[in-house]
């Protein structure tokens, strides 16, 4: 039998806020300045021609430093709907299914806005296209870029986490995509 089931992701209320995060003052400050403030005061940012809502940001650093925890706390801080997902939940061995899963994820995030999507191991979906000859990987990266750009003006923030920022395709680090990245080091 052929399975044509659309991927569904479960958004929920975040379990904690910045108040629950010990330390990480620099990370919290950067998330407030670069992401939360433009969301909360959109009209002022637009009136002064300042960069508006950031729809993508990357938290990077060594494993087990709290990237996922602080990302969920950010969702709690902004009172946005929250979805935590791993890149492996998007990847599929069937041709075109990974791209379809990614499109479904972004469409659902839009329908649940305001929302924060925490995408762990973002480098798996946004891998450097110069490092592969496999066209299906390049197709996935292209689809991901299109979907991120399509979030402009939406109250959807995708927070990618990675231990390997150098593996992320440079096109993701451009304005309108994951233009901000924040180092999350050891406590």
């Amino acid at each position: 039998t052929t399975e044509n089931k659309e991927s569904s992701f479960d958004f929920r209320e975040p379990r904690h806020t910045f108040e629950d995060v010990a330390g990480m003052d620099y990370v919290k400050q950067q998330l407030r300045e670069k992401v939360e403030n433009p969301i909360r005061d959109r009209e002022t940012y637009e009136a002064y021609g300042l960069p508006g809502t950031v729809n993508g940001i990357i938290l990077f650093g060594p494993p087990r430093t709290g990237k996922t925890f602080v990302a969920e706390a950010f969702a709690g801080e902004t009172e946005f709907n929250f979805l935590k997902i791993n890149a492996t939940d998007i990847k599929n061995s069937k041709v075109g299914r990974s791209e379809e899963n990614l499109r479904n994820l972004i469409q659902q995030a839009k329908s649940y806005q305001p929302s924060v999507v925490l995408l762990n191991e973002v480098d798996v979906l946004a891998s450097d296209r110069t490092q592969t000859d496999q066209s299906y990987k390049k197709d996935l990266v292209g689809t991901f870029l299109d979907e991120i750009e399509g979030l402009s003006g939406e109250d959807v923030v995708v927070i990618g986490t990675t231990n390997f920022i150098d593996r992320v395709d440079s096109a993701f680090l451009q304005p309108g995509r994951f233009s901000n990245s924040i180092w999350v080091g050891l406590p």
Side-chain angles (χ1 to χ4, degrees):
T1 64
T2 306
E3 185 180 322
N4 193 12
K5 183 181 172 189
E6 193 172 301
S7 296
S8 181
F9 304 98
D10 295 322
F11 283 80
R12 62 174 172 80
E13 289 184 24
R15 295 187 182 112
H16 51 271
T17 66
F18 282 163
E19 198 172 284
D20 301 306
V21 178
M24 291 195 186
D25 294 334
Y26 175 77
V27 175
K28 291 186 282 189
Q29 174 195 358
Q30 291 296 300
L31 285 169
R32 280 188 181 111
E33 288 177 8
K34 295 179 184 213
V35 186
E36 183 181 3
N37 291 346
I39 290 169
R40 294 219 188 265
D41 203 6
R42 184 183 312 255
E43 292 79 24
T44 302
Y45 276 73
E46 288 174 2
Y48 287 101
L50 299 170
T53 304
V54 171
N55 295 108
I57 193 159
I58 294 180
L59 302 178
F60 70 101
R64 312 296 300 167
T65 56
K67 296 181 289 291
T68 299
F69 190 80
V70 76
E72 182 172 353
F74 172 76
E77 196 72 16
T78 57
E79 299 177 342
F80 277 22
N81 292 306
F82 178 70
L83 172 68
K84 175 185 168 192
I85 191 163
N86 293 317
T88 54
D89 297 326
I90 300 291
K91 295 278 283 191
N92 192 297
S93 61
K94 293 182 181 175
V95 175
R97 185 60 64 98
S98 298
E99 292 85 348
E100 180 182 333
N101 289 343
L102 192 55
R103 282 193 283 288
N104 289 339
L105 170 66
I106 298 301
Q107 287 308 311
Q108 255 189 287
K110 287 180 181 179
S111 69
Y112 279 92
Q113 64 182 301
S115 61
V116 170
V117 175
L118 169 60
L119 187 52
N120 278 321
E121 302 171 4
V122 71
D123 54 290
V124 172
L125 300 176
S127 58
D128 187 348
R129 291 174 286 183
T130 64
Q131 302 299 313
T132 185
D133 289 332
Q134 298 168 324
S135 63
Y136 70 91
K137 286 186 178 181
K138 292 180 180 183
D139 291 345
L140 179 60
V141 171
T143 299
F144 197 3
L145 288 169
D146 288 344
E147 293 299 323
I148 289 294
E149 285 181 346
L151 291 176
S152 181
E154 306 283 349
D155 283 338
V156 176
V157 178
V158 178
I159 300 177
T161 65
T162 182
N163 302 332
F164 308 103
I165 191 80
D166 57 323
R167 292 184 186 172
V168 174
D169 192 287
S170 62
F172 278 91
L173 307 176
Q174 303 300 316
R177 297 169 178 166
F178 289 98
S179 53
N180 292 291
S181 54
I182 301 171
W183 167 255
V184 181
L186 295 172

